[in-house]
Every structure is written in structure tokens, then in C-alpha cells.
Amino acid sequence: MAAVRTSSEIGFNRVAIVAVLLVTIIFLAPIYWIASTAFKPRNLATTIPPTVVFQPEISPFVKLFTKRSQLRSAPTLEEYAAAPWWERVVFDGGEKIVRDGKGQVQWSGYPSRFMNSLIVAITSTVLAVGMGTFTAYGFSRFRVKGEADLLFFILSTRMLPPVVVAIPMFLMYRAVGLNDTHWGLIILYTAFNLSFSVWLMKGFMDEIPKEYEEAALVDGYTRMEAFFKIVLPEAATGIAATAVFCFITAWNEYAFALIMTNRRAQTAPPFIPSQVGSGLPDWTVIAAGTFLFLLPVAIFTFLLRNHLLRGMSFGAIRK
């Protein structure tokens, strides 16, 4: 009987391993597709069947960061030899890099859009997590009249899809001069992330024993000192987990960034699809921009992975 049970367990473990590998492959397949397309020559990006083995190129990244135009005639041997190596790869694709009257390379708008995404996502995440932590602490430690109604009201801000309120927000922003500004997007993303931050952080705050603060208060700490020296270190796991989700939401947001911005504060999501080649979309350039856009989120999540894994089970919302 024991042998049968052991065999069953071994069989179950094998099935579980196969299932995990299958799910991992399914989830990683789009990322591999984007990464491989980012290094493909343009003529191999849309081949049927897909080209799996190819010679990697960096021309998509050169095109992503520079402005270019179609070559009307092939460059002379002298022009080709005098051009930097990264410009030659553009020549080989039948295009040339646009230069101004002084011969300076004209850079594309991707670096500025990428920086806009960093500014907006990081600032809105810090604000949402910071305000959410203080609010959750208040709901967790003090008696608040109408607490259930207030928490439901905070949560109700997430019940409508963001695109539903895009037009009213656009009209209001235009009236107060917040269109195409960093602070306009920061305020918007902070407001939408705040409800999620409050509810998630309240679950973490409820898990921290009140006796820790009471002991600190008896030792002469003020309420704020007890919060910063006792509660915050204990809530670090929850803060990290909440920050990851808020950052991902703000980083990937597309609809508001498309409607509320034009050039000055435009982020990377609405800019990447606009990268087209001569006549047809250049999927290699779009894939290169998407690949670089994935890196900050991947790095941020990787750095906080230990807190994130513990936080998913530590802070359960109990309402």
C-alpha cells in the first residue's frame, strides 16, 4: 500500500512539473517573440513560417533612437566608408539617418518618451504608496466613523474602466491647463492607484500586532516615532509588493497617455506603435522599443522578488 502511495506521489509530481513548464512556456513565448524580433533583420520579421534561427542585428535599435528617411540612391563608397558603423547598418537597410544643417544626427523621440515614463511612473508610485500607507494605518489603528462606507467609496474609484472617464478628464485638464504635462499624468495615475494601495496596505497593517506600538508608546515614543521606527520596518514587505503593482499599472497605462498627452509629456506606450518605416510598419523597431520598455519593470520586480513573494501571502485583505 505504501509503495502504491509513493508511486502516485511520484506521478503527481511529474504531472505538476510538466504543467508548470507548460505554463511557463506559454507566458514566456510572447516575451521571446518580442526579444527575437528586436534583433531580426526587417525582412525576417514577418516571414511565414517564422524564422527562428537568424543572424542577430542591432539595426532596429539604431533606427529606434534616430530619425531616418528612404535612400533615393545608394551611397558612394566614400560616404559608406566615412559613416560610423551604426549608420552603415541603416544604409544596408535602404535608409539613411537624417541630419541637420550642421551635420548633427537627428535623434528620435523615444529617449524623451522613455524618460517621461520613468518620471511619471516613479513619482506616481511613490505618492500612491506613501499616501496609501498613511491612510491604511489610520483605518487599521483608529476608529473611523463610517469606516466601511469610506473604504467602499475608495474602492469604487476602480469600478469603472479608466477609458470611461477619459473624455471628462480631458475636458477638465484642458480647462485647468494640465494637458500634456507630467503633473497631469502623475495626479491621474496616483488617483487611480491610491484605492488599490489603501486596500492592499490595510491588509498588511492589520497583520502587524498593535502590541509593538503600545510597547513603544510606553517607552516614551510618540505616535509618529512608533510609526516610522516600528510599523514601517514591519510593513516593508507590503510596501514593496504594493509598489510593484502600482509601478506596473502606471508604467503600462496607455489610454490616458494617448489622450492626455501630445509631445512634451507623452510616455512610451503611445509612442512605440507610431514608429513606422517607409510605407509599412517596421515591426523590428517596434519590437526593439517594446523590449527596452520591458526592462525597467523586469528589473524592478526582480530586485523586490523576495518581498513580493512573501507579501502575496502576508498581507491578506479581510473585509
Side-chain angles (χ1 to χ4, degrees), residues 75-297:
T76 64
L77 292 178
E78 292 77 10
E79 291 175 339
Y80 189 88
W85 64 269
W86 47 269
E87 190 168 2
R88 294 175 191 170
V89 298
V90 179
F91 281 150
D92 295 338
E95 295 178 313
K96 65 177 181 179
I97 293 176
V98 177
R99 297 176 180 271
D100 59 16
K102 298 180 180 179
Q104 299 296 321
V105 173
Q106 295 293 292
W107 303 103
S108 71
Y110 185 80
S112 63
R113 267 65 171 190
F114 191 88
M115 185 58 64
N116 287 342
S117 291
L118 285 176
I119 294 172
V120 171
I122 292 175
T123 307
S124 63
T125 298
V126 171
L127 291 176
V129 174
M131 290 189 290
T133 301
F134 279 105
T135 305
Y137 178 77
F139 278 119
S140 178
R141 291 298 188 263
F142 304 103
R143 287 189 174 183
V144 180
K145 187 176 181 180
E147 175 183 340
D149 294 332
L150 289 173
L151 286 172
F152 178 79
F153 174 76
I154 293 172
L155 185 63
S156 67
T157 61
R158 296 295 296 266
M159 292 182 180
L160 286 177
V163 70
V164 174
V165 298
I167 300 303
M169 291 300 301
F170 173 79
L171 296 176
M172 287 189 292
Y173 269 39
R174 187 176 63 178
V176 298
L178 285 176
N179 271 349
D180 201 20
T181 62
H182 293 93
W183 277 112
L185 284 182
I186 289 170
I187 293 172
L188 201 56
Y189 292 171
T190 301
F192 274 93
N193 275 330
L194 188 57
S195 58
F196 174 80
S197 176
V198 170
W199 273 78
L200 191 58
M201 284 306 303
K202 187 179 184 301
F204 287 109
M205 291 295 178
D206 290 342
E207 292 288 337
I208 301 174
K210 296 180 181 180
E211 289 76 15
Y212 292 173
E213 297 161 76
E214 293 172 354
L217 294 175
V218 171
D219 288 341
Y221 283 70
T222 64
R223 174 66 68 173
M224 290 299 293
E225 288 175 339
F227 174 76
F228 282 106
K229 295 182 179 181
I230 305 298
V231 177
L232 278 188
E234 292 291 328
T237 296
I239 293 173
T242 305
V244 169
F245 288 112
C246 289
F247 183 81
I248 292 174
T249 301
W251 185 256
N252 294 332
E253 204 285 321
Y254 177 83
F256 283 122
L258 178 66
I259 296 173
M260 301 293 185
T261 62
N262 183 20
R263 278 178 39 186
R264 184 174 53 182
Q266 187 182 52
T267 55
F271 178 79
I272 292 174
S274 68
Q275 297 305 289
V276 294
S278 303
L280 294 173
D282 192 339
W283 297 112
T284 61
V285 177
I286 295 175
T290 305
F291 175 73
L292 293 179
F293 185 72
L294 292 174
L295 291 181
V297 172

Side-chain angles (χ1 to χ4, degrees), residues 2-20:
V4 173
R5 188 182 301 112
T6 303
S7 300
S8 301
E9 291 176 354
I10 293 174
F12 177 79
N13 291 337
R14 290 176 178 175
V15 172
I17 292 173
V18 172
V20 169

Side-chain angles (χ1 to χ4, degrees), residues 20-57:
V20 169
L21 290 176
L22 182 62
V23 171
T24 302
I25 292 172
I26 292 174
F27 276 94
L28 291 182
I31 298 177
Y32 167 76
W33 192 273
I34 292 171
S36 62
T37 305
F39 291 94
K40 282 182 179 179
R42 183 175 180 180
N43 62 334
L44 298 181
T46 56
T47 56
I48 299 176
T51 303
V52 179
V53 180
F54 57 92
Q55 183 68 31
E57 292 186 0

